Amino acid sequence: MRIRGYIDSYTEPAAAAPNGRPFSQSPPVPGSLQYWKSENNALPSGTAKYDLTNGIGFPMRNIFYYVRDAGNSTRATADANWPDPATLLIGNVNYFTRGRNLWNSLLSRYYGFAAVGATIPGVDTAGGRENGVYPVWLTSDMTSHPGDELRFKYLDTQVNTLVRLTGSFGGTTTFFALTNWLATPSKNRYALIAGG
């Protein structure tokens, strides 16, 4: 999976707009940090679970789950091993249960993997989804597109919050979870909303 990062900087603005309206002289929640960290584990064929460890205790923006085939270490052959359905538990709450086709349909719709001409782009091709990658995005407040966020839908977690993906895997896999979370200097999740 490839992630491209682009800097989003803050420069000291003029004191006010030409109409006299004052500009904020500091960015929202200065000193906040955004983290991306990957973890993995071997999972057997059949019913299995994966408990997330990275980012627990912080507001989460994204979780990218992906699998590699244990035999050849590729995502291409592991795609068919993804649980159908998969269940995401947050604490004791069933956050969702999704079949593979539904999840892929949501990816197509929300990430813009739309038909080009009369065809839908193939998997692992330009404009198509990636084999074996199943994201959970919590960054779509303004529209349905991931990244159109106001920071309202982040997943609030406490130190011992259980974030568990369960399902029946079609083969032995190496299971990965790439987690994206935020830490504010005050450790106050709501400062992210008020500061925006």
Side-chain angles (χ1 to χ4, degrees):
M1 185 166 68
R2 178 180 62 218
I3 294 177
R4 290 184 180 170
Y6 299 95
I7 191 164
D8 187 4
S9 301
Y10 185 90
T11 59
E12 189 171 318
N19 65 4
R21 183 174 176 230
F23 288 131
S24 174
Q25 296 301 300
S26 63
V29 197
S32 295
L33 297 173
Q34 181 177 175
Y35 294 91
W36 288 87
K37 191 168 182 185
S38 182
E39 57 189 273
N40 67 68
N41 197 17
L43 292 183
S45 178
T47 302
K49 64 183 179 191
Y50 188 86
D51 294 343
L52 195 65
T53 59
N54 287 324
I56 301 297
F58 296 94
M60 292 186 185
R61 294 182 70 242
N62 299 287
I63 306 168
F64 287 85
Y65 292 114
Y66 62 102
V67 290
R68 291 187 181 273
D69 191 298
N72 61 18
S73 296
T74 69
R75 287 183 289 105
T77 54
D79 199 51
N81 293 335
W82 185 260
D84 190 17
T87 298
L88 183 64
L89 297 172
I90 309 297
N92 292 322
V93 175
N94 180 340
Y95 193 69
F96 63 71
T97 298
R98 289 183 185 157
R100 188 181 315 128
N101 288 339
L102 171 60
W103 208 323
N104 288 333
S105 174
L106 292 171
L107 289 175
S108 293
R109 184 179 329 141
Y110 296 133
Y111 278 87
F113 304 138
V116 178
T119 62
I120 295 175
V123 179
D124 277 343
T125 63
R129 72 174 186 87
E130 299 284 325
N131 263 318
V133 178
Y134 292 88
V136 177
W137 59 95
L138 305 151
T139 56
S140 54
D141 295 300
M142 297 183 286
T143 68
S144 59
H145 297 282
D148 289 349
E149 62 190 285
L150 294 171
R151 302 180 292 274
F152 290 117
K153 291 187 178 179
Y154 292 170
L155 175 62
D156 289 324
T157 62
Q158 303 302 316
V159 172
N160 295 317
T161 300
L162 174 71
V163 179
R164 173 179 288 170
L165 188 103
T166 63
S168 183
F169 290 81
T172 305
T173 63
T174 304
F175 187 89
F176 292 83
L178 175 63
T179 311
N180 170 220
W181 73 92
L182 293 172
T184 62
S186 64
K187 296 186 174 75
N188 177 2
R189 178 262 190 273
Y190 297 100
L192 293 166
I193 297 170

